[in-house]
Amino acid sequence: MQPTDIRNPQYFHKVVDCQWACPAHTRVPEYIRLIAGGRYDDAYLLNWDSNVFPGILGRTCDRPCEPACRRGRVEESNGDKPEPVAICRLKRVAADHRGDGVEARMRERLPAPVSGAERFRVACIGGGPASLTVARDLVPLGYWITIFEADAKGGGFMRTQVPRFRLPEHVIDEEVGYILGLGVELVGNRRIDSLRELLDENFDAIFVGCGAPRGRDLHIPGRDEDTDRIHVGIEWLASVYFGHVSKVGKRVLVLGGGNTAMDCCRSARRLGGEDVKVMVRSGYEEMKASPWEKEDAEHEGVEILNWLNPKSFVHEDGKLTGMWFTPMRAEHDANGKRKLLPTGEPDRLFECDEVLIAVGQENAFPWIERDLGMEFDEWGMPKLDKLTMQSTLPRVFFGGDAAFGPKNIIWAVEHGHQAAASIHNFLQGEDVRNRPPPLTNLVSQKMGIHEWSYDNDISPDERFVVPWAPKEKTLTNIHQEVELGFDIQTAWKEAQRCLNCDVQTVFSKDVCIECDACVDVCPMDCITFTTNDEEAGLRARLTAPANNKEQDLYVSDPVKTGRVMVKDEDVCLHCGLCAERCPTGAWDMRRFLFAESYAGRGEDYSARPARKQVAA
Amino acid sequence: MTYLPKPKLHHPSLQKNAVGFTRRDYEGAISTLCAGCGHDSISAAIIQACWELDVEPHRVAKISGIGCSSKTPTYFLSASHGFNAVHGRMPSVLTGANLANRELLYLGISGDGDSASIGIGQFVHAIRRGVDMLYIVENNGVYGLTKGQFSATADQGSKSKKGATNTDAPVDMVGMALQLGASFVARSFSGDKTQLVPILKAAMTHKGASFVDVLSPCVAFNNHPGSTKSYDYVREHNHALCRMDFISPRAEITVDYPPGEVREVRQHDGSVLRLRKLPESHDTGDRVAAMNYLHACQARGEIVTGLLYVDPEAPDLHEHLQTVEVPFNTLGERELCPGSAVLAEINAALS
């Protein structure tokens, strides 16, 4: 193999699994260390820089970081159940324990205004996380931002569809408030019905962050009768939020296997649903809902039934009484593509009083005139530059669910960042594809002999469980938040489970004397000195086999004997024992900083004084 | 300034051996030796060898004297028996233990100071008697614990870290072991585990006095230019006599080498030592040839490593003394005091 080029920032970035997996590339290990150090304000602000809604995301994020977390891999065959660090819930700890001073400090962190920016007006359609992120990034530069929101308050889907027992309203008010407080104009109760009209209002740029507001319906026999008892899930959740719905029948069927289905069934349990079943076409494992959301629903007494395809609604005397389902099975064709087929078993009848349909969401742009010069694809989605979020109508940009279909809050935030950078370039007359460079740095953490500036001792603890409010309370009051958040002591212990993957093992082959000390001491058998080979050959004959091909091998230039050092990054604990055992300092633990930069910020960073350079 | 304890977490693919232990189960406390010490590599090689041989830790006794090398038994096989003897007195403690219980695997861990100076007499007699043991000298040519004075194995003309030249002739422990009748004699290098681990496995299964001299650079006091026991010097002057594979009695022998390239030595327990790239002229069963080869290499300035001599059928101390098959420590009063009738029988035989 070729020697690894560690000067390429993406190499070490990828080693920080959580940050790499986060759409907004939040610096997770750094904020976990800040939480462990009791610096909740700093942890909150670090999050706020990247993901804008730490308190909201600390409760509702889809947490792509957690399945990626190295802790889950290193605990394999090392105990009962391998579990990642509770990253998301630690984020909430930072939000829960932040002080009053964070808002003032937010302003200190913002970039300086760009002269002339005040001449430009930018409209954001929709008041959800994508639009709010665009506003957060652009307002400090001096642009005039107007957000148009169909409801009275900002927050979008986070406010109207995410149930209050998962996300209390004051959390939304605070974090949306921070952004509006920067000087953003929010025009509430105004739905945009025509893009042409908005274009005619002479905005210099328009950002479309209106979400994917249409819940998919299910057109099967009986759908059009007794429609008071058959609802589309996201519309029903909004009605619950607005107080139009305050109770539900005793027997409820929820159709669909995603997170909306989970919100529906749990809401139903709180509004009088005693026998609530989630009916899923496919298997349990392949459901789109996050594993923890399924667990939470089941914990509250919701039954999840799989392999049942809705066939028809049953009504008696015009009143909904049940539904027929066809038992299904999966079949994989020669290409591995899965198809669902009836098993041939007789259909099954489930009695019910009410049905919630949560089988997906769709984008809909009836309000965008098709003669404006904006191109759409065959599915009716706007054609976008995936890097810049720009449509084919140059001054219109997209983000969030409106861009590529339903995703989640953290993706909406990242789209917002990218669109804001593009809008800034666009308004400044620069190449829109020109991205602000990330800030990177690699600094030794050595403080003395066997002393590092991070806590390199590895906690043996298994994942801690977030305490819950008692069921008697949560199932009787839809506003009672279920999860109570970690207390500080438990948060500290959970933070200690983090492996500090951003503190990198950096190898300098010139000073290596090949004493094998690192190989012998490594608890995970990550390090091997061997003759070089093709990647497949090397992976098979390392000290421990490197079977996880998604994780890179760190290969050095040849050392004195002509062999190469090969480190399998997969299950490295970043404990630094290799560096502690190295007599010559050939191994060093260096903290890798990778911070995305946002609109108007790349210039700031490049103007900073150069820090200590890294020897390759 | 203490090291972090090694985390208990291990690689998910870590395997158990036939007696149900992982390699990590053979570890000891975290080493307090200097970072990069060759001795730590030897400890790792012992751990690997014991794991591969399916040794049960409680069937091992590790006995050592004084010195950096003699501290190392703390750093491996924490579930085994151990005895840290007076300086240079490891061999007599080991001999005594072996006489009391012949069923354990005895690891005598010593260094060049412990064995070639204060304990040289002990070393000589334990080898000469053919005690069934593996005697390892972790040989770095200096007194590491007292800041790097030359030891008795330092080569004449080699330089200390401060620049002083050694004028004394060295004790060659391999040559002595051959001359004293050790039935398994090898030398290896801490920085070459692919050679060291099979040698340790062969030596552990060998019945009789096995002696392995392991060059083990002292990274603090003897790893500088002018030293003849530094990582660089040993690597440059290493003359590997042969590569050896150790094949346990249970293993199926699958790889076939063309005749002539490979020579095999079968030990008493059925294990096979397969010697590859052994020069045609060398016979590992010929003690005199081994001594000649050793001296010829030495004269050329080469450090010969590998298996030099093995006598797979050698008798050990218990055979010499015609002791009973069972360990002494299992003999009860009935066996030890069989009564006046037996005494009369013995007396009658003497008349």
Side-chain angles (χ1 to χ4, degrees):
Chain A
M1 284 180 75
Q2 290 296 313
T4 303
D5 181 11
I6 61 164
R7 285 169 305 178
N8 175 357
Q10 297 306 338
Y11 179 76
F12 281 144
H13 185 192
K14 196 176 161 196
V15 175
V16 195
D17 290 300
C18 45
Q19 190 181 4
W20 178 259
C22 176
H25 303 304
T26 306
R27 290 156 56 199
V28 175
E30 181 74 23
Y31 82 68
I32 291 183
R33 277 192 298 273
L34 291 170
I35 290 168
R39 293 169 59 186
Y40 307 112
D41 287 6
D42 292 323
Y44 184 84
L45 289 165
L46 188 148
N47 268 291
W48 188 76
D49 279 347
S50 304
N51 54 50
V52 191
F53 305 103
I56 294 172
L57 287 164
R59 291 167 167 87
T60 61
C61 189
D62 263 7
R63 10 172 164 163
C65 50
E66 291 193 17
C69 174
R70 173 166 284 114
R71 182 86 197 189
R73 298 200 299 278
V74 307
E75 285 188 359
E76 248 172 67
S77 74
N78 270 298
D80 291 343
K81 190 181 170 206
E83 289 264 28
V85 175
I87 299 171
C88 182
R89 278 11 181 195
L90 285 172
K91 188 196 307 289
R92 172 173 169 181
V93 169
D96 285 354
H97 297 279
R98 73 187 191 276
D100 296 332
V102 289
E103 192 166 8
R105 287 183 60 196
M106 281 171 185
R107 291 165 196 242
E108 292 166 16
R109 299 165 85 87
L110 295 173
V114 175
S115 70
E118 65 282 357
R119 289 181 287 123
F120 297 111
R121 293 166 63 233
V122 180
C124 295
I125 303 174
S131 287
L132 289 166
T133 303
V134 169
R136 204 278 314 253
D137 284 0
L138 291 182
V139 158
L141 301 178
Y143 298 106
W144 182 256
I145 309 290
T146 308
I147 295 178
F148 295 99
E149 166 60 50
D151 296 320
K153 296 182 189 171
F157 185 99
M158 305 188 292
R159 191 184 290 276
T160 54
Q161 264 96 22
V162 178
R164 289 294 78 84
F165 56 85
R166 287 212 291 136
L167 176 61
E169 190 140 26
H170 73 89
V171 180
I172 307 170
D173 290 340
E174 286 161 7
E175 294 191 334
V176 172
Y178 289 145
I179 297 167
L180 298 181
L182 297 173
V184 178
E185 182 189 20
L186 174 74
V187 181
N189 296 319
R190 176 156 173 213
R191 182 181 291 279
I192 299 298
D193 295 319
S194 161
L195 183 61
R196 173 172 284 124
E197 282 174 23
L198 198 65
L199 287 166
D200 288 344
E201 288 184 33
N202 283 327
F203 284 100
D204 298 286
I206 292 173
F207 175 76
V208 182
C210 59
R214 185 185 284 176
R216 197 173 288 155
D217 209 336
L218 200 60
H219 299 290
I220 54 174
R223 170 68 183 92
D224 301 327
E225 271 182 74
D226 198 15
T227 48
D228 286 352
R229 292 169 180 275
I230 304 172
H231 314 273
V232 172
I234 63 165
E235 291 167 10
W236 183 78
L237 286 170
S239 306
V240 172
Y241 166 69
F242 288 113
H244 305 322
V245 167
S246 55
K247 60 177 194 291
V248 74
K250 281 202 169 114
R251 296 169 304 171
V252 181
L253 296 181
V254 178
L255 312 181
N259 285 334
T260 303
M262 297 303 119
D263 284 343
C264 286
C265 68
R266 295 180 70 192
S267 296
R269 280 289 283 132
R270 286 159 169 77
L271 298 177
E274 286 169 12
D275 170 14
V276 180
K277 292 188 172 77
V278 176
M279 314 299 286
V280 190
R281 255 158 49 104
S282 57
Y284 187 84
E285 294 304 322
E286 17 185 338
M287 284 167 67
K288 281 197 178 139
S290 313
W292 51 89
E293 303 232 3
K294 292 191 274 190
E295 281 168 27
D296 292 354
E298 287 171 315
H299 180 83
E300 292 179 350
V302 171
E303 209 180 333
I304 297 178
L305 297 166
N306 297 90
W307 304 112
L308 291 168
N309 193 31
K311 193 184 176 199
S312 61
F313 294 89
V314 183
H315 304 274
E316 278 170 32
D317 304 328
K319 185 168 171 274
L320 177 76
T321 56
M323 275 189 81
W324 282 102
F325 292 85
T326 308
M328 306 298 278
R329 65 184 171 88
E331 194 177 276
H332 295 265
D333 68 13
N335 302 325
K337 206 178 157 192
R338 196 200 67 161
K339 264 200 321 203
L340 285 175
L341 297 169
T343 59
E345 292 164 74
D347 289 345
R348 294 175 66 186
L349 176 70
F350 288 86
E351 293 183 352
C352 65
D353 304 314
E354 206 142 350
V355 172
L356 305 173
I357 303 169
V359 294
Q361 277 164 259
E362 286 168 328
N363 293 64
F365 301 103
W367 52 277
I368 298 181
E369 293 80 359
R370 300 302 148 110
D371 58 353
L372 296 172
M374 191 188 294
E375 291 174 39
F376 285 81
D377 65 18
E378 53 192 300
W379 298 281
M381 295 292 284
K383 285 190 180 172
L384 302 177
D385 181 334
K386 285 205 165 115
L387 181 71
T388 63
M389 313 304 289
Q390 190 178 32
S391 73
T392 52
L393 193 61
R395 64 176 158 137
V396 181
F397 299 79
F398 281 72
D401 290 355
F404 309 115
K407 283 191 173 170
N408 52 40
I409 301 172
I410 189 68
W411 267 113
V413 169
E414 176 59 13
H415 289 166
H417 285 313
Q418 295 305 327
S422 304
I423 291 169
H424 175 58
N425 284 355
F426 174 73
L427 296 177
Q428 296 297 321
E430 285 172 28
D431 181 0
V432 173
R433 291 188 67 90
N434 189 10
R435 299 282 102 185
L439 173 69
T440 62
N441 203 354
L442 191 63
V443 178
S444 177
Q445 300 299 292
K446 199 171 176 68
M447 305 280 282
I449 295 175
H450 312 162
E451 255 190 281
W452 306 94
S453 67
Y454 71 108
D455 190 351
N456 60 330
D457 201 355
I458 304 297
S459 160
D461 287 336
E462 292 183 357
R463 182 176 168 127
F464 291 88
V465 178
V466 181
W468 280 27
K471 250 198 235 181
E472 310 81 71
K473 268 190 176 177
T474 57
L475 290 184
T476 50
N477 176 5
I478 197 162
H479 295 287
Q480 168 67 46
E481 189 174 15
V482 174
E483 289 197 7
L484 302 175
F486 284 130
D487 59 58
I488 286 180
Q489 286 76 19
T490 316
W492 183 82
K493 284 196 244 168
E494 183 62 30
Q496 293 307 99
R497 294 180 70 240
C498 173
L499 298 171
N500 299 287
C501 297
D502 61 338
V503 182
Q504 305 286 349
T505 55
V506 180
F507 181 73
S508 310
K509 63 106 187 165
D510 289 334
V511 287
C512 176
I513 58 170
E514 299 175 63
C515 66
D516 271 3
C518 52
V519 179
D520 296 337
V521 82
C522 177
M524 304 306 275
D525 301 325
C526 295
I527 305 170
T528 310
F529 286 80
T530 185
T531 46
N532 204 348
D533 197 350
E534 292 303 313
E535 181 166 348
L538 277 180
R539 280 184 178 275
R541 63 182 167 82
L542 298 180
T543 312
N547 294 330
N548 182 357
K549 295 202 178 83
E550 285 174 17
Q551 292 283 320
D552 289 334
L553 297 182
Y554 177 6
V555 182
S556 75
D557 278 307
V559 289
K560 264 184 206 153
T561 55
R563 300 180 297 170
V564 288
M565 186 291 300
V566 185
K567 185 199 160 206
D568 178 14
E569 299 282 11
D570 186 22
V571 289
C572 171
L573 299 177
H574 297 254
C575 62
L577 279 178
C578 49
E580 292 203 2
R581 275 288 163 194
C582 183
T584 63
W587 284 107
D588 192 16
M589 303 308 292
R590 295 185 188 164
R591 185 165 55 164
F592 175 68
L593 169 79
F594 182 97
E596 255 198 75
S597 34
Y598 308 119
R601 296 222 197 174
E603 301 94 278
D604 286 352
Y605 286 137
S606 60
R608 285 186 184 179
R611 299 208 190 157
K612 194 176 154 193
Q613 289 299 301
V614 175
Chain B
M1 211 185 91
T2 50
Y3 289 106
L4 202 66
K6 191 164 168 172
K8 290 272 175 268
L9 291 168
H10 59 72
H11 195 278
S13 73
L14 194 68
Q15 299 293 314
K16 285 184 177 165
N17 62 11
V19 289
F21 296 110
T22 70
R23 198 183 72 246
R24 297 289 300 278
D25 295 327
Y26 290 84
E27 290 179 349
I30 190 88
S31 169
T32 56
L33 299 175
C34 309
C37 180
H39 297 359
D40 286 334
S41 271
I42 300 171
S43 298
I46 292 171
I47 289 166
Q48 182 74 24
C50 286
W51 179 76
E52 289 179 15
L53 285 176
D54 305 324
V55 171
E56 292 173 298
H58 69 284
R59 306 306 297 163
V60 180
K62 36 179 195 167
I63 298 170
S64 63
I66 295 294
C68 298
S69 60
S70 297
K71 290 174 70 177
T72 64
T74 308
Y75 315 136
F76 59 83
L77 295 174
S78 56
S80 297
H81 308 280
F83 195 103
N84 204 190
V86 178
H87 206 351
R89 270 58 184 166
M90 174 275 281
S92 29
V93 174
L94 191 151
T95 305
N98 181 291
L99 281 170
N101 184 359
R102 61 187 295 178
E103 288 189 341
L104 300 184
L105 167 61
Y106 288 93
L107 302 180
I109 309 292
S110 188
D112 41 319
D114 199 52
S115 279
S117 292
I118 191 168
I120 194 161
Q122 298 250 325
F123 159 72
V124 164
H125 294 292
I127 297 287
R128 194 175 66 84
R129 289 178 181 135
V131 180
D132 184 13
M133 63 179 171
L134 164 56
Y135 195 124
I136 300 176
V137 167
E138 308 192 349
N139 185 354
N140 57 18
V142 289
Y143 299 132
L145 279 185
T146 54
K147 300 201 172 179
Q149 300 82 355
F150 291 117
S151 80
T153 62
D155 288 312
Q156 206 163 28
S158 68
K159 284 198 165 57
S160 75
K161 195 175 181 182
K162 292 271 183 176
T165 304
N166 181 34
T167 50
D168 299 343
V171 170
D172 179 4
M173 305 207 63
V174 172
M176 285 180 76
L178 282 167
Q179 197 250 318
L180 291 164
S183 47
F184 182 106
V185 181
R187 181 187 275 150
S188 191
F189 170 44
S190 70
D192 184 2
K193 281 208 204 68
T194 53
Q195 183 194 51
L196 178 57
V197 173
I199 285 179
L200 291 179
K201 286 165 73 181
M204 284 178 193
T205 51
H206 178 79
K207 197 186 86 176
S210 313
F211 177 79
V212 182
D213 178 40
V214 190
L215 294 167
S216 174
C218 173
V219 83
F221 296 109
N222 207 8
N223 195 37
H224 48 82
S227 160
T228 57
K229 290 193 167 51
S230 65
Y231 281 105
D232 285 352
Y233 187 92
V234 176
R235 284 211 169 91
E236 276 162 32
H237 298 80
N238 188 349
H239 171 73
L241 178 62
C242 63
R243 302 307 301 191
M244 184 176 78
D245 302 322
F246 177 85
I247 299 145
S248 76
R250 288 186 305 281
E252 207 178 321
I253 299 176
T254 50
V255 189
D256 282 321
Y257 289 90
E261 273 191 24
V262 169
R263 261 176 280 171
E264 289 182 347
V265 179
R266 189 170 291 271
Q267 297 203 109
H268 71 285
D269 67 337
S271 62
V272 173
L273 316 183
R274 179 186 282 153
L275 307 170
R276 288 181 284 129
K277 297 180 184 160
L278 186 70
E280 282 295 318
S281 57
H282 189 76
D283 179 0
T284 52
D286 184 342
R287 191 181 290 275
V288 178
M291 291 164 84
N292 283 338
Y293 200 87
L294 179 74
H295 290 295
C297 289
Q298 204 172 324
R300 289 199 298 268
E302 290 173 347
I303 302 166
V304 63
T305 58
L307 176 65
L308 282 148
Y309 174 76
V310 59
D311 175 2
E313 301 300 334
D316 78 334
L317 178 64
H318 284 277
E319 274 179 63
H320 292 153
L321 298 177
Q322 296 180 27
T323 60
V324 290
E325 291 292 314
V326 294
F328 282 179
N329 67 354
T330 60
L331 298 178
E333 197 181 341
R334 237 172 75 188
E335 291 87 6
L336 294 170
C337 302
S340 49
V342 179
L343 179 64
E345 214 175 290
I346 292 169
N347 284 339
L350 295 173
S351 61

